[in-house]
Amino acid sequence: MSSMIETEHLAKEYGNKRAVDDLDLFVGRGESFGFLGPNGAGKTTTIRMLATLTKPSSGRAWINGFDVVEESSKVKQDFGIVQQHMSLNKELTVRENLELHARLHHLEKKERRERIDEMLDYVGLTEFSDYLIERISGGMTRRAMIARALLHTPKLLFLDEPTIGLDAQARRKIWDLIRGMKSEGATIFLTTHYIEEAEVLCDRVGIIHRGRMISLGSPLELRQNLGLVTVESRKSENNTEYRYFPDRAAAAEYVKTLPSGGNIIMRESNLEDVFVELTGRKVTG
Amino acid sequence: MSFADAYSVLWADLLVLKRRIFRYLITTLVSPLLYLVAFGWGLGRGISVEGTSYFAFVVPGIIALTAMNSSFNGAGTRLNVDRLYFKSFDECLMAPISSSSLLLGKAMVGAVRGLVSSVAFVGLALLVSPTFYVTPLFLASLLVTCLLFSFLGVLAALLSKSHEDMGTFSSLILLPMTFLGGTFFSLSQVPEALKFGLYAFPLTHSSLCLRAAVLGQPFPWASFMIMVGFWAAFSAGCHMVLKRASI
């Protein structure tokens, strides 16, 4: 698989703090890659470096074969981005925001109009196209940002916490859109601290903690490395023991050894378990 | 540099300005009208400066002042808000356009607002001022004034780390210029040593050029070239800061 994103010893320092530390990364074309980690882990800083917004302190990165620092103008043509924060112009309507993006990406007038209509329809915002951004909901704003990111048909899509702050219904709508983009061949680089999001949307997940990538693999591989089945046994009010097993049979054998009458749960392991075992803290912390 | 890309950056603000033009004009004309009433009709009644009435003398100065404030705030304050609060400046930074086009577009946002405010005030001045000539040199001076203060606004916004920084910049740079930049009094009235200091203000040269053009006096080409020099310097400063801050 040829690379869409590649980094080599990529690092970013702010004063004495290393926000991203010695990151080596390979994301193939058409792959859906997730960066999982708590707030402040270095996910957004990584995306900002890859998206040419922040200069790396050291190391190198390439998008579609182009160096993000030396060839930033070529890199800028190849990606679309949905940032974590609301980055639309609140004084413009949904359509005007898309029009601005299309102009900045040199789409011709006829193509501009067609693509804007197509994208508004894709994200279900056609009837809200003439609403000012400040008058639409958070979920609609996020969908408008996705429409904007896809407008110039990018080869790579950065999604920085694409569903943060959204309710369950809006989140699932965004997930459907992301699945749609993937099925159309786009490479997706997604950051999230929602476990379920990483499991549902990503082919591979990198777990990032304090700026360093501490584990990498498919969600299944990461869970297999830990043990696919988790047994939670509550010892006291503030003390729950977690044990991991390769399958239910092994887990059941262990449960038999526990004192009866205890509070015991047997369930499938998830990426949250992987993260806690690797870092000693919860991913949402 | 692509002028089409610069226009794309400007385009969004033109939409906003068009939508709010009446509110914008009312807001932006309050200050110069108050200056006109207080200094022109009030304080300056019966006074003559350099062989002309104080009223005719002060009107071009107020135009320079209006151009300065509207251009600086139009470019700087809006960019500051876009960059630090709305974060919509990122959209421009990640677009495949050159930094020259981006900076020109952002500066044109201020220049257009400065020109709109100034022309509106000129319209009022033509009604009330006894001697006022709109000449090509007046228009050229007004355009350069708007551009140089727009680039200064962009530079201030790029350097600012908060909205308060913009306020500090205005208090320390624009406010002294407002009252000392040859707007309300003739530089011939101040001591030589102070005069040299006042010539360091770009607004002083804007006032001199606009006043000479409006009153039909010999045009101060040296001041005009100094204005162009300030424009070039502020533009270069913007490029340096943007290059340092981003890729």
Side-chain angles (χ1 to χ4, degrees):
Chain A
M1 188 191 288
S2 59
S3 80
M4 178 55 80
I5 302 173
E6 207 170 342
T7 70
E8 203 175 87
H9 306 302
L10 191 67
K12 181 66 188 178
E13 291 168 11
Y14 293 106
N16 293 328
K17 188 178 182 274
R18 283 215 137 190
V20 175
D21 192 2
D22 200 28
L23 180 68
D24 290 328
L25 190 65
F26 178 97
V27 178
R29 283 172 202 278
E31 191 179 7
S32 176
F33 183 87
F35 235 8
L36 181 66
N39 293 331
K43 306 186 299 289
T44 298
T45 305
T46 302
I47 282 203
R48 286 185 66 85
M49 286 192 283
L50 296 175
T52 74
L53 279 174
T54 300
K55 209 177 272 184
S57 301
S58 60
R60 294 183 73 184
W62 297 266
I63 299 289
N64 199 24
F66 298 116
D67 187 296
V68 296
V69 176
E70 305 296 329
E71 298 165 292
S72 63
S73 58
K74 286 177 181 159
V75 169
K76 286 172 182 177
Q77 290 168 1
D78 284 338
F79 72 83
I81 184 168
V82 177
Q83 291 184 280
Q84 184 175 343
H85 52 260
M86 206 294 287
S87 60
L88 296 167
N89 188 329
K90 285 185 179 176
E91 296 174 313
L92 300 180
T93 65
V94 174
R95 181 180 289 278
E96 287 164 351
N97 268 285
L98 299 189
E99 170 94 23
L100 172 62
H101 183 87
R103 284 169 177 265
L104 291 173
H105 282 80
H106 309 125
L107 269 64
E108 293 298 325
K109 193 173 180 182
K110 186 169 177 287
E111 188 189 5
R112 235 165 33 213
R113 196 172 299 151
E114 286 171 0
R115 280 295 288 169
I116 290 170
D117 286 342
E118 196 182 328
M119 284 300 106
L120 285 170
D121 183 50
Y122 182 64
V123 299
L125 285 178
T126 302
E127 62 182 301
F128 299 98
S129 64
D130 293 326
Y131 280 49
L132 288 173
I133 293 298
E134 60 193 7
R135 300 223 172 130
I136 62 175
S137 69
M140 286 183 189
T141 303
R142 196 68 63 165
R143 279 189 273 154
M145 288 167 72
I146 289 177
R148 182 179 68 174
L150 292 174
L151 203 60
H152 59 290
T153 327
K155 299 182 180 84
L156 166 66
L157 200 63
F158 290 116
L159 301 166
D160 190 8
E161 303 276 5
T163 62
I164 195 165
L166 301 184
D167 60 38
Q169 197 180 3
R171 179 172 299 167
R172 286 181 184 200
K173 175 75 183 164
I174 301 289
W175 285 1
D176 284 341
L177 291 173
I178 295 171
R179 286 194 191 103
M181 296 171 217
K182 181 170 164 49
S183 68
E184 285 168 23
T187 305
I188 292 169
F189 186 96
L190 173 145
T191 75
T192 184
H193 64 263
Y194 294 129
I195 300 299
E196 193 188 354
E197 193 158 279
E199 288 182 328
V200 164
L201 298 176
C202 301
D203 300 326
R204 281 193 309 145
V205 172
I207 295 180
I208 186 167
H209 181 56
R210 291 178 183 159
R212 294 189 77 96
M213 190 147 71
I214 55 174
S215 194
L216 177 69
S218 69
L220 181 62
E221 284 167 355
L222 293 174
R223 287 170 49 223
Q224 274 172 338
N225 291 343
L226 179 73
L228 287 171
V229 180
T230 300
V231 174
E232 292 181 28
S233 53
R234 197 168 177 190
K235 304 290 185 190
S236 65
E237 196 172 328
N238 295 320
N239 181 19
T240 303
E241 184 184 81
Y242 295 83
R243 297 288 292 268
Y244 305 99
F245 301 90
D247 51 43
R248 284 197 164 263
E253 282 300 312
Y254 170 70
V255 169
K256 281 182 196 166
T257 67
L258 296 173
S260 59
N263 196 346
I264 298 164
I265 298 169
M266 192 194 307
R267 59 169 173 79
E268 280 193 10
S269 305
N270 57 37
L271 290 179
E272 176 89 40
D273 300 312
V274 176
F275 190 85
V276 171
E277 282 304 305
L278 289 169
T279 67
R281 59 181 287 197
K282 288 201 167 211
V283 73
T284 49
Chain B
M1 183 175 66
S2 157
F3 286 103
D5 286 344
Y7 177 73
S8 294
V9 175
L10 169 68
W11 173 83
D13 194 70
L14 289 181
L15 286 181
V16 177
L17 185 61
K18 194 173 149 193
R19 207 170 275 150
R20 298 176 178 176
I21 188 67
F22 291 112
R23 197 168 76 184
Y24 175 73
L25 283 175
I26 289 167
T27 310
T28 197
L29 286 176
V30 166
S31 174
L33 284 174
L34 286 174
Y35 281 130
L36 190 69
V37 172
F39 289 98
W41 279 316
L43 194 66
R45 185 182 290 272
I47 301 174
S48 68
V49 181
E50 294 175 354
T52 183
S53 72
Y54 183 74
F55 188 86
F57 174 87
V58 85
V59 165
I62 297 175
I63 292 170
L65 196 58
T66 306
M68 176 183 80
N69 284 324
S70 303
S71 302
F72 180 88
N73 290 321
T77 306
R78 291 185 67 77
L79 176 56
N80 181 259
V81 171
D82 284 351
R83 194 170 79 88
L84 298 177
Y85 295 94
F86 293 158
K87 310 276 187 188
S88 52
F89 186 53
D90 284 355
E91 164 79 352
C92 295
L93 287 174
M94 288 185 289
I97 62 174
S98 68
S99 55
S100 308
S101 304
L102 171 57
L103 289 171
L104 179 64
K106 285 294 176 189
M108 279 164 62
V109 168
V112 166
R113 285 174 179 257
L115 285 170
V116 168
S117 303
S118 306
V119 167
F121 184 76
V122 166
L124 291 173
L126 283 169
L127 294 176
V128 295
S129 181
T131 50
F132 196 104
Y133 305 107
V134 176
T135 62
L137 281 175
F138 169 80
L139 294 174
S141 302
L142 185 60
L143 181 64
V144 174
T145 300
C146 290
L147 280 168
L148 86 86
F149 284 110
S150 288
F151 272 102
L152 181 63
V154 172
L155 180 60
L158 291 174
L159 288 169
S160 293
K161 291 185 170 62
S162 68
H163 196 59
E164 287 72 31
D165 285 352
M166 287 298 284
T168 306
F169 193 92
S170 291
S171 298
L172 295 179
I173 308 291
L174 294 198
L175 195 58
M177 262 198 279
T178 299
F179 291 102
L180 302 176
T183 316
F184 299 112
F185 57 86
S186 167
L187 292 185
S188 61
Q189 295 168 319
V190 299
E192 283 297 315
L194 181 58
K195 195 187 289 183
F196 282 112
L198 300 186
Y199 275 121
F201 292 141
L203 186 66
T204 304
H205 301 282
S206 297
S207 297
L208 289 173
C209 289
L210 289 170
R211 186 167 290 130
V214 162
L215 299 178
Q217 296 168 349
F219 191 72
W221 284 103
S223 281
F224 187 81
M225 294 315 294
I226 290 170
M227 282 166 60
V228 173
F230 272 115
W231 172 17
F234 295 150
S235 172
C238 289
H239 277 88
M240 280 169 58
V241 173
L242 188 64
K243 196 173 177 187
R244 197 182 63 194
S246 61
I247 291 176

